[in-house]
Amino acid sequence: MFVGVIDYKFAGEPNYIKGKLDIDTAQLAYIEIEFFDLFDLRIEQGSAFASLIKPSSPENVSAKALTTNKLKIEELMVSPSLQLVWDRFVTHCKRYRRAGPPILCSFDKEGPILLQSMAEKFRDLDVDGFQKVFDNKQGYVLSDDIVRWFPDNKFLPNKSLESLRDFFGIEPESGAATIGRLQMRFLNLYRSLFDSMEFYKSFNKKED
């Protein structure tokens, strides 16, 4: 089974309405995905996909967002349309279906919301109205693991991707690569802890 690690950047100001992302005001400007094998915990070579996206509503592009996300409007204006990038993205992800869709991994909970909103915009939904590119019953959110292991920010000035790269000693690379690398590190940690812990009927045993 594969896990797809997503990262993205906006050229506008994300606006959420009843838990859904307004794609027109957010102006998705960049999206990337890279897959790793859930069982072997290794990056699948050649699985990366990345693309800039032409603004569908240039009037919603924010100078602040461009600066924050290190985007250049000149490059965006000659990039593929949102529809074309979405179609290419979906086609790429379908290659990593194994008896079902891959599992999604994102930096925070915004990732699944983005995908659902995109699928709704382009009417790419299953019979229940959910996006069908990734598994809707399970997923990984890296920021949840960060909160579990660094609850008081004792070692991290903040929980941004840049701070995590600096703390873990990760060289500059794509966002998806960093998120995937860290998520695999935590998954490997949980597996190693499992071997050293006793779970079976452990609550029936009296503590000393």
Side-chain angles (χ1 to χ4, degrees), residues 137-199:
K137 296 181 180 179
Q138 57 182 326
Y140 297 106
V141 177
L142 177 62
S143 60
D144 286 346
D145 282 312
I146 300 302
V147 171
R148 292 185 187 106
W149 289 92
F150 304 93
D152 55 4
N153 276 8
K154 182 177 180 181
F155 301 101
L156 293 171
N158 58 64
K159 295 183 175 69
S160 69
L161 205 54
E162 290 73 18
S163 291
L164 293 174
R165 283 194 185 105
D166 183 62
F167 179 81
F168 284 94
I170 298 175
E171 295 296 325
E173 58 186 353
S174 73
T178 298
I179 296 168
R181 189 192 299 264
L182 290 173
Q183 190 63 67
M184 286 189 290
R185 171 69 64 86
F186 284 117
L187 288 172
N188 188 57
L189 173 61
Y190 295 141
R191 293 178 185 181
S192 63
L193 288 173
F194 183 86
D195 293 335
S196 63
M197 297 180 70
E198 184 177 358
F199 288 98

Side-chain angles (χ1 to χ4, degrees), residues 31-91:
I31 191 168
E32 66 170 312
I33 190 86
E34 188 170 36
F35 291 83
F36 69 79
D37 188 298
L38 180 59
F39 301 106
D40 295 339
L41 294 183
R42 58 172 176 77
I43 294 292
E44 186 71 7
Q45 295 299 314
S47 68
F49 168 90
S51 179
L52 291 170
I53 303 167
K54 183 177 181 178
S56 56
S57 302
E59 66 275 11
N60 288 326
V61 172
S62 161
K64 179 181 178 181
L66 292 175
T67 301
T68 300
N69 294 315
K70 300 178 181 178
L71 298 168
K72 296 181 179 180
I73 188 63
E74 297 81 9
E75 294 179 354
L76 296 181
M77 294 306 295
V78 295
S79 298
S81 68
L82 182 61
Q83 173 76 74
L84 182 57
V85 172
W86 173 253
D87 291 342
R88 291 173 176 172
F89 175 84
V90 172
T91 298

Side-chain angles (χ1 to χ4, degrees), residues 72-120:
K72 296 181 179 180
I73 188 63
E74 297 81 9
E75 294 179 354
L76 296 181
M77 294 306 295
V78 295
S79 298
S81 68
L82 182 61
Q83 173 76 74
L84 182 57
V85 172
W86 173 253
D87 291 342
R88 291 173 176 172
F89 175 84
V90 172
T91 298
H92 181 79
C93 293
K94 285 181 178 178
R95 299 173 185 170
Y96 299 93
R97 294 176 65 95
R98 296 293 185 273
I103 298 171
L104 179 66
C105 173
S106 58
F107 181 70
D108 55 29
K109 292 181 172 63
E110 189 179 58
I113 295 175
L114 168 64
L115 285 181
Q116 178 64 25
S117 300
M118 290 282 287
E120 290 179 3

Side-chain angles (χ1 to χ4, degrees), residues 118-137:
M118 290 282 287
E120 290 179 3
K121 181 177 179 63
F122 296 116
R123 299 179 181 179
D124 198 0
L125 305 167
D126 63 16
V127 294
D128 296 315
F130 296 108
Q131 63 83 19
K132 55 185 179 181
V133 183
F134 292 92
D135 192 320
N136 279 299
K137 296 181 180 179

